[in-house]
Amino acid sequence: MKKLCVISSGDSFRISRNTRFALKQGLINFEYSWYVFNLFSHYCQSTPSLRVTKLKTGNIHFGITISTRTLPCFNYYYNIFYSNGVKIIPDNISDFLTPKALAHWIMCDGNFNQTGVVLNTQCFSFYEVEILVKVLTDKYGFKVSSNRDHNNYVILFWKRSIPLLQSIVSPYMHPSMLYKINL
């Protein structure tokens, strides 16, 4: 989240554009949320907050939100992963897609189902999803594909790649999230 901050210094004002890191998870994932909070707590002003949302269906959803302060140290990543406020896949995504990063991506946006592990990539174009598929195939040897999800695309790790995926990411996963890779 990019936020415009106005910093007061006596009679003069200075405008600073810095970035904050935010994580939103369902209450069921509290343990993971607390784990991430502990990683980022020195950047945070407060502890995670409970969010209650009324869905269009009328159901109530309980979630946890973690937000850091808006700081210049996060601008580097914002500038790499956003263009004009839109999330993008940078040309050097392979450099960022380490086993640890992949583990956190799965913990945040992944799920296991009868066909394999799905990464929710609906915010990206088909072309960008195909770039991610190629990186995951070339860098790690996974058997993955882009699958249509309504008008968008997700990444599917095929069942035969699950043992390889487990061996690569499980050392970096919080124990409460191992179910997302069928462990």
Side-chain angles (χ1 to χ4, degrees):
M1 283 178 188
K2 197 81 166 181
K3 182 179 177 184
L4 181 65
C5 298
V6 179
I7 301 166
S8 174
S9 173
D11 291 333
S12 62
F13 288 91
R14 182 172 58 99
I15 295 178
S16 171
R17 281 186 81 66
N18 289 321
T19 307
R20 80 173 55 219
F21 168 80
L23 173 73
K24 297 177 183 180
Q25 288 282 313
L27 190 56
I28 194 168
N29 296 326
F30 177 79
E31 287 183 59
Y32 173 66
S33 299
W34 191 254
Y35 167 72
V36 172
F37 170 71
N38 282 308
L39 293 174
F40 284 89
S41 62
H42 52 287
Y43 297 110
C44 297
Q45 189 169 339
S46 63
T47 57
S49 58
L50 177 65
R51 296 286 186 235
V52 180
T53 308
K54 186 173 183 179
L55 305 175
K56 291 179 183 178
T57 61
N59 294 339
I60 303 295
H61 178 265
F62 296 94
I64 298 291
T65 300
I66 298 166
S67 293
T68 65
R69 295 177 182 94
T70 54
L71 296 168
C73 60
F74 296 122
N75 290 347
Y76 171 78
Y77 297 101
Y78 181 88
N79 291 331
I80 291 170
F81 287 97
Y82 286 83
S83 176
N84 298 319
V86 177
K87 194 183 300 186
I88 62 164
I89 301 298
D91 293 337
N92 62 338
I93 188 63
S94 183
D95 297 339
F96 291 101
L97 208 46
T98 64
K100 191 174 198 175
L102 183 56
H104 279 280
W105 189 11
I106 291 168
M107 289 185 282
C108 288
D109 290 327
N111 62 288
F112 180 80
N113 65 33
Q114 69 276 6
T115 58
V117 172
V118 175
L119 275 176
N120 293 295
T121 52
Q122 292 93 335
C123 66
F124 299 116
S125 69
F126 174 73
Y127 173 75
E128 290 173 311
V129 172
E130 286 297 309
I131 290 171
L132 292 167
V133 165
K134 181 168 177 25
V135 169
L136 291 166
T137 301
D138 293 350
K139 186 170 184 172
Y140 295 106
F142 296 128
K143 182 65 178 163
V144 293
S145 59
S146 56
N147 288 20
R148 188 176 275 284
D149 179 47
H150 302 287
N151 293 328
N152 301 301
Y153 293 88
V154 297
I155 294 174
L156 173 68
F157 289 82
W158 292 22
K159 274 197 169 185
R160 69 179 182 209
S161 279
I162 301 302
L164 176 59
L165 178 64
Q166 291 168 336
S167 71
I168 291 172
V169 300
S170 64
Y172 304 101
M173 293 190 68
H174 189 272
S176 69
M177 300 300 262
L178 289 171
Y179 73 94
K180 291 194 173 203
I181 56 170
N182 199 32
L183 285 179

